[in-house]
Amino acid sequence: MSLALSPMEWAVVALSLKVSLVAVLGTMPVAYGLAWLLARRRFPGRMLLDALVHLPLVVPPVVTGWLLLVLFGRNGPIGAWLEQVLGVTLVFRWTGAALAAAVMALPLMVRAMRLSIEAVDRRLVGAARSLGASKWRAFATITLPLSLPGILAGAVLGFARSLGEFGATITFASNIAGETRTLPLAIYSGLQMPGGEDQVTRLAIISILLSLGALLVSEMLVRRSAGSRAHVL
């Protein structure tokens, strides 16, 4: 068996990386905003918001994909508006695969970022405020820099989760070669095809290596974050 990827398999890897990167970049501002809100604010409905953020972790991914289809499909309230006003169609497109991956990655990103924000000593922020710094300046000079390793760790975890996303993607974006067929979907397709064992093996090895690398980077960032906080304290 040759371990060299065919042009078609390279295209699958490239599409997976593009989908995962777009999913993470598009989700990071939302994830950090939610993480900061859950870490620093107390408000009615906070527990419900926390539960909704983590819901994709506990419901079947197919259910998440179905909800995306209901909301962002061509007849859905958001999908119909996007198509009519902006001319954007997500369903059966690689952008739809990125949306599905983003939704599935969001809980992991929020959790990592929230823990990082909660670890920032509020006394440091209070000291900055007492010296005349505005809320935004204190945030930009203290909270954001000290939580940055956790933010990056959350982004890497989200990237790894996006690479492995299957259920929501195949439900919402389908399994279209060259358009939405990412690594998990290509592996699934290879398992359904006679003689596809070699292709499955190659793609599975690539998937494992990418995910393992992302997890190692995430762990390094978490340790760096802990070291930075210890140094500050």
Side-chain angles (χ1 to χ4, degrees):
M1 181 193 71
S2 173
L3 293 179
L5 299 180
S6 67
M8 182 189 70
E9 292 164 352
W10 276 117
V12 168
V13 174
L15 178 62
S16 298
L17 294 174
K18 180 172 74 170
V19 165
S20 298
L21 186 61
V22 169
V24 169
L25 291 178
T27 308
M28 279 189 70
V30 177
Y32 190 80
L34 289 170
W36 184 88
L37 193 63
L38 292 172
R40 292 297 195 222
R41 289 290 180 264
R42 298 294 182 268
F43 53 90
R46 178 174 173 272
M47 188 177 297
L48 177 60
L49 177 62
D50 193 16
L52 289 174
V53 167
H54 290 87
L55 193 62
L57 287 179
V58 295
V59 301
V62 173
V63 174
T64 302
W66 173 76
L67 289 173
L68 290 175
L69 197 58
V70 170
L71 294 174
F72 291 92
R74 290 183 172 178
N75 296 322
I78 302 176
W81 181 85
L82 287 174
E83 186 170 4
Q84 293 169 9
V85 177
L86 302 179
V88 174
T89 302
L90 295 175
V91 67
F92 306 137
R93 299 288 191 273
W94 74 268
T95 48
L99 175 61
V103 171
M104 297 302 297
L106 180 67
L108 293 177
M109 296 176 66
V110 170
R111 182 169 180 79
M113 294 177 185
R114 178 181 175 180
L115 291 174
S116 182
I117 294 170
E118 288 176 341
V120 176
D121 194 339
R122 294 194 182 197
R123 292 173 297 179
L124 297 174
V125 178
R129 294 297 309 280
S130 68
L131 293 173
S134 65
K135 289 183 178 180
W136 286 109
R137 183 173 178 81
F139 168 79
T141 57
I142 296 176
T143 304
L144 186 60
L146 289 179
S147 63
L148 185 58
I151 296 171
L152 296 177
V156 174
L157 278 177
F159 182 79
R161 180 63 186 87
S162 298
L163 280 174
E165 168 47 34
F166 176 81
T169 301
I170 198 171
T171 304
F172 178 59
S174 191
N175 184 10
I176 305 172
E179 184 66 36
T180 65
R181 185 171 293 173
T182 55
L183 273 168
L185 274 65
I187 291 171
Y188 172 79
S189 299
L191 290 172
Q192 311 305 309
M193 182 177 58
E197 292 82 4
D198 289 351
Q199 174 183 312
V200 169
T201 301
R202 289 190 293 268
L203 293 178
I205 291 173
I206 292 295
S207 181
I208 292 171
L209 291 176
L210 289 173
S211 298
L212 181 61
L215 290 173
L216 290 174
V217 170
S218 176
E219 180 63 22
M220 290 172 58
L221 289 170
V222 169
R223 294 189 178 188
R224 178 181 177 183
S225 177
S228 298
R229 291 195 298 270
H231 179 73
V232 170
L233 296 175

